[in-house]
Amino acid sequence: MTTETLEKTRWRISVDRAACTGTGMCVHAAPAYFRLVEGRAEALCGTADADAGLLDAALNCPVEAIRLTEVATGTVIAPEL
């Protein structure tokens, strides 16, 4: 994904709290988008402009509990299927 594409894309953020193990990697990678609540990740917003830190958080979640989908098309951005 190019920088130009990132600037024009909006993503839906979802967290499978049942799958989350609470490592906090997402909070470290993208603190503007995630927090830990009762030991589980929670998204701070439902959608956001495409962001490299947000992508990093989703791709590095050890249990793939974070899903990013493109709002306009529904295409799954991460985790890669």
Side-chain angles (χ1 to χ4, degrees):
M1 195 170 270
T2 67
T3 304
E4 183 177 310
T5 303
L6 281 174
E7 291 172 0
K8 295 180 181 179
T9 305
R10 191 136 179 95
W11 292 338
R12 182 173 275 60
I13 306 163
S14 62
V15 178
D16 181 346
R17 287 180 49 94
C20 178
T21 58
T23 65
M25 292 176 71
C26 57
V27 176
H28 178 72
Y33 300 103
F34 299 99
R35 66 178 174 186
L36 290 180
V37 175
E38 297 179 2
R40 307 277 185 204
E42 180 177 271
L44 296 174
C45 54
T47 62
D49 290 335
D51 178 87
L54 186 54
L55 182 61
D56 185 49
L59 292 176
N60 289 299
C61 177
V63 294
E64 296 184 340
I66 299 168
R67 177 168 286 207
L68 302 175
T69 55
E70 192 172 325
V71 170
T73 66
T75 301
V76 175
I77 304 300
E80 296 174 342
L81 301 175

